[in-house]
Amino acid sequence: MSKNVKLMQGNEACVEGALAAGMRFYAGYPITPSTEVAELSSLKLPQVGGKFIQMEDEIGGMAATIGASLAGLKSMTATSGPGFSLKQENLGYACMAEVPCVIVNVQRGGPSTGLPTSPSQGDVMQAKWGTHGDHPMIALTPSSVKETFDLTVKAFNFAEKFRTPVILLLDEVVAHMRERTEIPDQSEIEVIDRKKPQKDLDTYNPYKVVDDTLVPPMAAYGEGYRFHVTGLSHDVTGFPSNDGVIAKNLLNRLMDKVNDNMDELSIYENYKMEDAEIAIVAYGSTARSAKSAVDAAREEGIKVGLFRPMTIWPFLANQVKELDNKVNNIIVAEMNLGQYSLEVERVCKSANVIHYGKINGELITPNEILSKIKEVL
Amino acid sequence: MSSELINKYFRMNKLPHIWCPGCGHGILMHSIVKAIDNLGLNKDDVCIVSGIGCSSRAPGYMDFNTLHTTHGRALAFATGIKLANPKLEVIVISGDGDSSAIGGNHLIHAARRNIGITTVIFNNSIYGMTGGQYSPTTPTGDKGTTAPYGNIDNNFDLCRLAEAAGATYTARSTAYHANMLIKQVENGIKNKGFSLIEAISVCPTYYGRKNKKGDSVKMMEYLRDAGINVNKAKNMSSEELADKIVIGEFNNISKPEYTDQYQNIINRLQGER
């Protein structure tokens, strides 16, 4: 059988992955450098009976994405830094109301309108804490075009399984880079759909846990359940409650449904870490430079390895603790002033955590990381 | 009759509602339910969406598919619902601030698309839930807690705004003119495209008290006396209409509906296969 091999960019792979995962709705507002995600969605969705809408603003894009998910469709929106900020209001709503959806953020230089066409990894903390209040967050970050396809499928699967918004954090390099990409056959792709309630219309509570997963089954509007959804603190029936115990228990369940599944959610790669004395921590396009730097350093006999988190949230504390036990120096390379590095520092008790950042809109090169490795030696 | 409606369409365990004594919103909510009953809609096919504010608490009491969203965003959520499942009869309940201040952009664009959503704006001329601040429909010169010296903003005519933006059905009535409102909501639902019905409410607690409009009865009497039918108003001068509320249907036209148009694209593409 001939393989389905294409030359495509990250943004295109994202849409292909989303369609393979079952996306049937997209609502968004165009913003550089994420526009190809909207463009390709508008082209492809009606071909499979899905819907695309270009909303009047980013806030509306996020709102319509949630509305469509409540009506039963797997939904996605895409944006970049400034648009991501606008989506935060309703991103919090999706966390609170437990509405599965995928939010793609192709990061660009910031703050504000910043560097629209330049790469950045400046939204790592915004992905975790951009909306208000305490809440869980799942965010994935790919390093290649193929991985963008795979992680977009994962993002939809996590969203559906855990009934929560999932963020796909791209950077401009991965989004616009074109690579040879092998698209797997649909039969080889694992697709997870949200758990539906049993057909017992009178007793359906949209927020009642019915098994050991902490994730309540989710009905769609129009299926006959007539349930209520709100962004207010609510009880198992979905109706608002000011009861402090109910509020606390709800928030704890939201946190636990993610935190209790770290094994499944932890996606990462250890590269040449077996005998490493120095560890590089890098993600997205920076991880590719880091990998080259590791290879170059190894040729010079320097024992260095790479830890590459693809799950950027929840933070992979256990894996970073292993690095802490193993090496004396951890270099965190990222296109910001130390957002992920601070998290690494937080869990490292013995290793020296060194941040290498770049914020001029240029990607971090292998040579720059190699120089940093030699500085640490 | 009313009690039958209550049993049939309301979530009895969520009543009584939280609205202040004398508030007009209960009458408006009843009018929507009465319109749904008159049209014989199936409850499972109706989806009621609201934003934030006094009016936006209504869906919680109503036994349909219901969604209480973020401030101003009801129409954007509703757009996603309607496009995802066009079979649903989507009704948005929104306040004056919710729909025309923070949600103004979503309002004009929902109207522009002519998407099949019926929006009923509960206009009490004030921000009630946050304690009486002026809204985009507070008459110029009137007071609010953030307009202690009188509001200098010009106020919106929501029906003209929606019509100019593309709404295919626009109408206005008041809490006093409840029977007219029922008919308008029916016609709005029957309209295939975007419908906007502005329902003038009374807020004796904040708007009434701040502006010395008297109690609820007094405010309802004002609605009765100020309401002028659109046909009669056509022959009146702007001076004569100064303190009047023009009520009735402003436009009711036919234009292609958004979800139909999108379905045409899907059908065309799938037919080509």
Side-chain angles (χ1 to χ4, degrees), chain A residues 271 287-297 366:
Chain A
Y271 181 69
R288 296 174 68 125
S289 294
K291 204 174 241 185
S292 296
V294 167
D295 289 341

Side-chain angles (χ1 to χ4, degrees), chain A residues 90-298:
Chain A
N90 287 331
L91 179 59
Y93 186 96
C95 290
M96 186 58 145
E98 297 181 77
V99 183
C101 53
V102 173
I103 302 98
V104 181
N105 175 11
V106 183
Q107 298 166 91
R108 61 188 235 181
S112 187
T113 39
L115 297 164
T117 56
S118 301
S120 162
Q121 294 173 320
D123 298 343
V124 171
M125 280 296 165
Q126 191 185 189
K128 179 70 188 86
W129 294 119
T131 196
H132 54 286
D134 295 290
H135 56 85
M137 189 48 71
I138 302 172
L140 308 177
T141 185
S143 289
S144 70
V145 174
K146 173 63 167 70
E147 207 166 87
T148 302
F149 179 94
D150 295 339
L151 290 187
T152 307
V153 174
K154 277 274 184 206
F156 270 95
N157 286 347
F158 286 157
E160 293 288 317
K161 182 166 182 182
F162 297 108
R163 221 187 132 171
T164 191
V166 174
I167 293 165
L168 189 74
L169 267 187
L170 299 182
D171 59 59
E172 192 272 341
V173 179
V174 172
H176 281 159
M177 167 171 66
R178 286 177 198 277
E179 288 186 297
R180 179 189 186 277
T181 307
E182 197 180 315
I183 301 292
D185 192 77
Q186 186 68 39
S187 63
E188 295 165 25
I189 298 168
E190 187 196 20
V191 174
I192 297 174
D193 297 324
R194 67 191 65 169
K195 194 164 49 190
K196 306 290 284 186
Q198 299 300 311
K199 293 279 175 201
D200 196 354
L201 295 172
D202 293 336
T203 55
Y204 174 60
N205 284 319
Y207 297 98
K208 190 176 180 195
V209 172
V210 296
D211 53 26
D212 56 1
T213 66
L214 297 184
V215 181
M218 186 177 173
Y221 285 149
E223 290 179 336
Y225 292 90
R226 299 201 304 273
F227 57 102
H228 185 62
V229 175
T230 179
L232 291 166
S233 191
H234 49 269
D235 62 18
V236 294
T237 66
F239 287 94
S241 166
N242 280 330
D243 186 317
V245 175
I246 288 172
K248 184 187 76 175
N249 289 345
L250 168 61
L251 205 49
N252 282 333
R253 180 175 63 76
L254 295 183
M255 299 301 286
D256 289 345
K257 74 176 178 179
V258 171
N259 291 337
D260 289 358
N261 290 286
M262 285 305 290
D263 284 351
E264 185 179 350
L265 290 169
S266 301
I267 312 171
Y268 58 92
E269 181 193 14
N270 273 310
Y271 181 69
K272 297 188 178 174
M273 275 305 302
E274 299 78 20
D275 62 340
E277 290 163 4
I278 298 173
I280 315 284
V281 174
Y283 50 89
S285 62
T286 309
R288 296 174 68 125
S289 294
K291 204 174 241 185
S292 296
V294 167
D295 289 341
R298 286 271 172 182

Side-chain angles (χ1 to χ4, degrees), chain B residues 5-254:
Chain B
L5 276 183
I6 290 171
N7 282 319
K8 196 169 169 190
Y9 294 106
F10 288 88
R11 291 165 169 148
M12 296 299 285
N13 60 342
K14 299 299 164 198
L15 295 171
H17 60 65
I18 61 161
W19 295 319
C20 304
C23 173
H25 284 9
I27 297 168
L28 309 182
M29 180 165 71
H30 167 265
S31 300
I32 293 173
V33 162
K34 183 72 181 149
I36 289 170
D37 191 60
N38 288 350
L39 291 172
L41 301 179
N42 183 333
K43 288 203 286 186
D44 294 336
D45 298 334
V46 177
C47 186
I48 311 230
V49 187
S50 73
I52 295 291
C54 295
S55 65
S56 295
R57 296 308 286 260
Y61 309 123
M62 303 166 81
D63 186 23
F64 301 94
N65 302 285
T66 53
L67 183 65
H68 179 234
T69 70
T70 43
H71 193 31
R73 314 302 174 205
L75 272 166
F77 279 79
T79 297
I81 293 167
K82 182 69 184 179
L83 187 54
N85 184 358
K87 285 187 207 126
L88 286 169
E89 200 61 69
V90 180
I91 298 170
V92 166
I93 296 175
S94 189
D96 42 320
D98 194 52
S99 64
S100 69
I102 190 165
N105 204 28
H106 306 307
L107 176 68
I108 58 174
H109 289 279
R112 175 179 63 84
R113 290 186 190 103
N114 195 34
I115 188 164
I117 294 170
T118 302
T119 298
V120 184
I121 297 178
F122 289 16
N123 182 1
N124 59 5
S125 310
I126 203 88
Y127 287 105
M129 195 158 274
T130 42
Q133 300 80 20
Y134 68 103
S135 90
T137 62
T138 303
T140 308
D142 279 2
K143 289 179 178 168
T145 56
T146 47
Y149 311 112
N151 161 33
I152 59 169
D153 285 20
N154 293 313
N155 53 317
F156 267 137
D157 180 327
L158 296 176
C159 290
R160 286 179 68 192
L161 177 73
E163 185 180 346
T168 41
Y169 180 86
T170 54
R172 182 187 294 123
S173 46
T174 78
Y176 180 84
H177 302 86
N179 288 331
M180 178 188 269
L181 179 59
I182 294 165
K183 197 70 205 156
Q184 290 176 352
V185 176
E186 278 179 49
N187 289 345
I189 292 171
K190 281 196 277 187
N191 173 40
K192 189 82 180 107
F194 186 79
S195 305
L196 181 134
I197 297 111
E198 182 185 6
I200 309 292
S201 191
V202 291
C203 174
T205 303
Y206 289 113
Y207 178 69
R209 193 161 47 90
K210 273 277 160 199
N211 292 289
K212 300 189 166 52
K213 300 275 183 188
D215 62 9
S216 183
V217 173
K218 199 117 197 213
M219 292 181 79
M220 289 291 271
E221 283 168 355
Y222 167 74
L223 293 183
R224 178 193 64 199
D225 299 338
I228 293 285
N229 194 281
V230 61
N231 296 321
K232 195 175 170 192
K234 275 175 191 156
N235 302 318
M236 291 168 71
S237 68
S238 53
E239 288 78 27
E240 287 173 311
L241 287 170
D243 283 326
K244 301 295 183 196
I245 301 168
V246 181
I247 54 176
E249 292 184 344
F250 300 107
N251 79 324
N252 189 358
I253 61 167
S254 183

Side-chain angles (χ1 to χ4, degrees), chain A residues 72-88:
Chain A
L73 300 187
K74 289 190 184 181
S75 308
M76 181 169 95
T77 187
T79 188
S80 301
F84 192 48
S85 301
L86 291 173
K87 292 200 188 294
Q88 294 292 346

